[in-house]
Amino acid sequence: GAVVSQHPSWVICKSGTSVKIECRSLDFQATTMFWYRQFPKQSLMLMATSNEGSKATYEQGVEKDKFLINHASLTLSTLTVTSAHPEDSSFYICSARDRGLTQYFGPGTRLLVL
Amino acid sequence: AQKITQTQPGMFVQEKEAVTLDCTYDTSDQSYGLFWYKQPSSGEMIFLIYQGSYDEQNATEGRYSLNFQKARKSANLVISASQLGDSAMYFCAAPLQGGSEKLVFGKGTKLTVNP
């Protein structure tokens, strides 16, 4: 149980385009989902906390207009990187929390902006 | 707020041997939990084990166990009978502060299992 999927796993796009990443909890309902960013050889950096039916809470320094988060249902959250630039290239990974404390992670999305 | 420290950037272990990955934390909360995650080169974060601060026994999950020393604020992960597939990054994590949904992660330890 506690499976989280993430799509796409890889995306390459041109500078200026927008990219949408989906995060789904497959076998449980997740009232809270989280979006992280990870640079090579570094730890995870929390970007935002996403609650179903309400606005996401962004961490300090994360541009909410740049990284749009929508948590439309108890099983789906989306992250849209708007007007992507090369500095947005990174590994983005989501997690979903079940009724307990444990966060279960998706497989991540590698974004490369040319 | 919670702070997680993993002092071992890299560790090496021979296949079939046991290895301990260190994790210390810094919290003033009375109730808290500690998590360990494994991140293979593919990137996914795999939940391994959880220890609650009030759990009387050290958590175990298959070949994974936690050496939880509350007074020393340490929660070291022990992997027994290492396998080549255990080679990965390992992250220790804990809630940012009491009751928080947010996790704070250590910098991780890269484990390499040698044949």
Side-chain angles (χ1 to χ4, degrees):
Chain A
V3 178
V4 177
S5 69
Q6 197 171 329
H7 178 79
S9 55
W10 262 104
V11 59
I12 302 173
C13 67
K14 293 182 179 179
S15 184
T17 60
S18 293
V19 175
K20 180 184 282 189
I21 303 169
E22 291 188 351
C23 178
R24 293 180 186 272
S25 57
L26 298 184
D27 53 359
F28 67 100
Q29 292 184 332
T31 54
T32 308
M33 290 185 171
F34 305 84
W35 287 95
Y36 295 84
R37 184 173 181 177
Q38 186 179 29
F39 292 103
K41 298 185 178 181
Q42 293 189 23
S43 189
L44 277 70
M45 181 187 75
L46 179 65
M47 299 176 65
T49 303
S50 169
N51 290 290
E52 185 264 340
S54 61
K55 292 184 178 180
T57 303
Y58 291 82
E59 295 301 301
Q60 190 173 12
V62 178
E63 301 176 59
K64 61 181 180 180
D65 295 330
K66 174 75 170 177
F67 301 99
L68 299 178
I69 292 172
N70 187 336
H71 194 153
S73 75
L74 286 172
T75 59
L76 173 64
S77 177
T78 60
L79 167 68
T80 301
V81 183
T82 62
S83 186
H85 291 283
E87 58 266 27
D88 298 324
S89 298
S90 190
F91 183 65
Y92 295 87
I93 190 167
C94 71
S95 71
R97 189 177 71 93
D98 62 3
R99 292 182 179 180
L101 299 174
T102 303
Q103 290 185 26
Y104 297 95
F105 285 81
T109 298
R110 298 189 188 277
L111 171 64
L112 177 61
V113 184
L114 302 176
Chain B
Q2 182 67 274
K3 180 182 178 182
I4 301 295
T5 302
Q6 293 180 256
T7 59
Q8 306 155 314
M11 287 285 286
F12 294 87
V13 65
Q14 285 298 121
E15 193 177 8
K16 300 181 184 179
E17 293 185 351
V19 63
T20 298
L21 306 183
D22 294 343
C23 172
T24 58
Y25 55 92
D26 182 13
T27 181
S28 57
D29 295 326
Q30 295 300 310
S31 178
Y32 51 89
L34 295 146
F35 301 83
W36 276 92
Y37 287 88
K38 171 185 177 182
Q39 187 177 41
S41 57
S42 58
E44 60 186 312
M45 290 283 285
I46 303 167
F47 166 67
L48 296 178
I49 196 167
Y50 168 81
Q51 176 81 48
S53 59
Y54 283 113
D55 292 342
E56 293 184 354
Q57 293 185 333
N58 287 341
T60 62
E61 194 68 49
R63 293 187 297 111
Y64 305 108
S65 61
L66 263 173
N67 182 358
F68 182 50
Q69 298 184 46
K70 195 171 181 177
R72 297 182 59 188
K73 294 189 176 180
S74 73
N76 299 336
L77 176 70
V78 180
I79 305 175
S80 62
S82 296
Q83 301 172 357
L84 295 178
D86 294 334
S87 294
M89 284 291 292
Y90 288 82
F91 292 95
C92 180
L96 182 63
Q97 58 191 28
S100 175
E101 295 181 301
K102 302 177 185 179
L103 290 181
V104 59
F105 288 82
K107 292 186 176 181
T109 296
K110 184 176 181 180
L111 176 65
T112 302
V113 180
N114 294 316

